[in-house]
Amino acid sequence: MILRKYMSLLGIGSAQIDLILEKEIYRPGESVSGYFLIKGGTIEQQIKRIDCNLVMKDQILDKETVIDTVAILSTSLIESEKLNKIGFTFQLPDSLAASTDKISYQFVTWLTFNKGVESRDLDIIQIVQ
């Protein structure tokens, strides 16, 4: 048991997060819905927070810009091997440019524990006019 605890502190066998979206294609100003799926690891862990950034990647300028952030503070305990769902909604700004081969959008999500390594997830979305 102690070995599993120390391994989860290093990220081996720790809980994982996955943002599940209803769809992948959106229009500016549209609401994005889905949920965070948290999969318990080999031991129970206490969640500190969930952060999710909408990031625009501009290939021309070689630049990433955080458009907006959703943060959920928590004291939830994630039991070993259990699945947990937390609802997610995000209002896209009206001013987003359409996705192209040079401009793309993604949600970058990370789960922070009271102790241990963060779990990260990345979900690409497409913006159409």
Side-chain angles (χ1 to χ4, degrees), residues 28-29 52-58 63-70 90-97 103-108 125 127:
C52 185
N53 292 342
L54 175 61
V55 177
M56 180 183 77
K57 293 181 78 172
D58 186 328
K63 180 179 172 183
E64 291 187 5
T65 305
V66 175
I67 305 292
D68 203 355
T69 300
V70 172
F90 185 92
Q91 187 68 40
L92 293 172
D94 292 324
S95 60
L96 289 181
I103 294 177
S104 62
Y105 297 92
Q106 59 192 18
F107 283 105
V108 180
I125 64 169
I127 305 296

Side-chain angles (χ1 to χ4, degrees), residues 20-47:
I20 308 295
L21 300 174
E22 290 180 351
K23 58 184 186 173
E24 295 176 3
I25 299 174
Y26 297 92
R27 296 189 181 284
E30 192 172 350
S31 180
V32 178
S33 296
Y35 59 91
F36 297 109
L37 180 63
I38 302 171
K39 301 172 190 173
T42 56
I43 63 166
E44 65 181 29
Q45 291 178 283
Q46 188 166 5
I47 294 176

Side-chain angles (χ1 to χ4, degrees), residues 65-84:
T65 305
V66 175
I67 305 292
D68 203 355
T69 300
V70 172
I72 300 171
L73 302 178
S74 178
T75 58
S76 299
L77 193 64
I78 301 301
E79 294 181 35
S80 171
E81 309 291 328
K82 299 285 182 181
L83 293 178
N84 299 278

Side-chain angles (χ1 to χ4, degrees), residues 47-51 69 71-74 110-114:
I47 294 176
K48 185 174 182 180
R49 66 186 293 146
I50 299 170
D51 293 284
T69 300
I72 300 171
L73 302 178
S74 178
W110 64 100
L111 175 63
T112 305
F113 307 103
N114 277 355

